């Protein structure tokens, strides 16, 4: 299955089933999961990058444990919407993930997700060490929740540009 557009992704999903959100950082991969009704996203794990076989096995274990039906991979676009090296890396990661598990996969704009999460953590007076330990999974959660909100929105019937 190829990387899908929003409309094709939404159409390919079964009525129920969790989604796995992934923020593929260069050092750590943040992983989040939704509930089966796709209402709430929550942090699942932070996977230290080793190589795709090891990273993929850790992600697939979460996928299986949550009885998931699809992946949402963060797409780090530039602020002007253009695609840079990080975007190319995320797309390559997504293609490799599809080789391991052929399920619906959507690339979802994650611009500023890490910045938003860090801002919330700083406001909560979280220590730098605590922030570092959970920021990737929190960013994946933030990004996945954005998609879940879109799926449940009345605007989800309107074609996504």
């Amino acid at each position: 299955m190829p990387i899908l557009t929003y409309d094709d992704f939404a159409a390919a999903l079964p009525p129920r089933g969790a989604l796995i959100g992934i923020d593929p950082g260069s050092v750590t991969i943040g992983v989040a999961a939704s509930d089966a009704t796709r209402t709430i996203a929550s942090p699942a794990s932070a996977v230290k990058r080793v190589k795709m076989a090891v990273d993929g096995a850790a992600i697939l274990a979460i996928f299986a444990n949550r009885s998931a039906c699809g992946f949402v991979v963060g797409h780090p676009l530039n602020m002007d919407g253009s695609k840079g090296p990080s975007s190319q890396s995320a797309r390559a990661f997504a293609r490799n993930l599809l080789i391991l598990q052929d399920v619906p996969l959507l690339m979802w704009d994650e611009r500023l997700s890490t910045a938003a999460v860090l801002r919330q953590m700083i406001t909560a007076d979280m220590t730098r060490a605590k922030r570092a330990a959970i920021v990737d999974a929190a960013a994946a959660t933030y990004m996945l929740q954005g998609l879940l909100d879109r799926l449940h929105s009345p605007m989800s019937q309107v074609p996504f540009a």
Side-chain angles (χ1 to χ4, degrees):
M1 184 172 289
I3 297 171
L4 301 174
T5 64
Y6 172 82
D7 291 332
D8 291 340
F9 179 77
L13 295 175
R16 291 180 52 88
L19 295 176
I20 301 299
I22 301 170
D23 180 13
S26 58
V27 176
T28 306
I29 301 166
V31 183
S34 76
D35 62 318
T37 64
R38 300 184 203 119
T39 304
I40 301 291
S42 57
S45 181
V47 176
K48 292 285 184 196
R49 276 214 149 157
V50 179
K51 59 182 178 178
M52 189 60 197
V54 175
D55 304 343
I59 293 166
L60 292 180
I62 296 166
F63 187 89
N65 288 339
R66 302 290 179 122
S67 300
C69 62
F71 289 114
V72 181
V73 177
H75 196 190
L77 298 170
N78 293 326
M79 290 308 293
D80 65 359
S82 64
K83 298 173 184 173
S86 294
S87 171
Q88 293 170 358
S89 177
R91 288 187 74 78
F93 178 87
R95 285 190 301 271
N96 288 331
L97 194 56
L98 282 172
I99 291 168
L100 300 175
Q101 185 77 38
D102 189 25
V103 296
L105 185 145
L106 174 69
M107 299 291 295
W108 188 254
D109 186 355
E110 67 157 344
R111 280 179 282 187
L112 300 177
S113 61
T114 301
V117 167
L118 282 172
R119 225 179 357 263
Q120 291 171 346
M121 291 177 178
I122 290 167
T123 300
D125 203 27
M126 190 176 286
T127 67
R128 187 179 303 261
K130 265 191 182 172
R131 289 193 309 256
I134 65 169
V135 69
D136 296 304
T141 304
Y142 185 90
M143 180 267 309
L144 179 57
Q145 188 63 54
L147 171 71
L148 298 177
D149 293 346
R150 170 81 169 128
L151 286 171
H152 286 286
S153 165
M155 291 299 293
S156 65
Q157 304 306 314
V158 177
F160 187 67

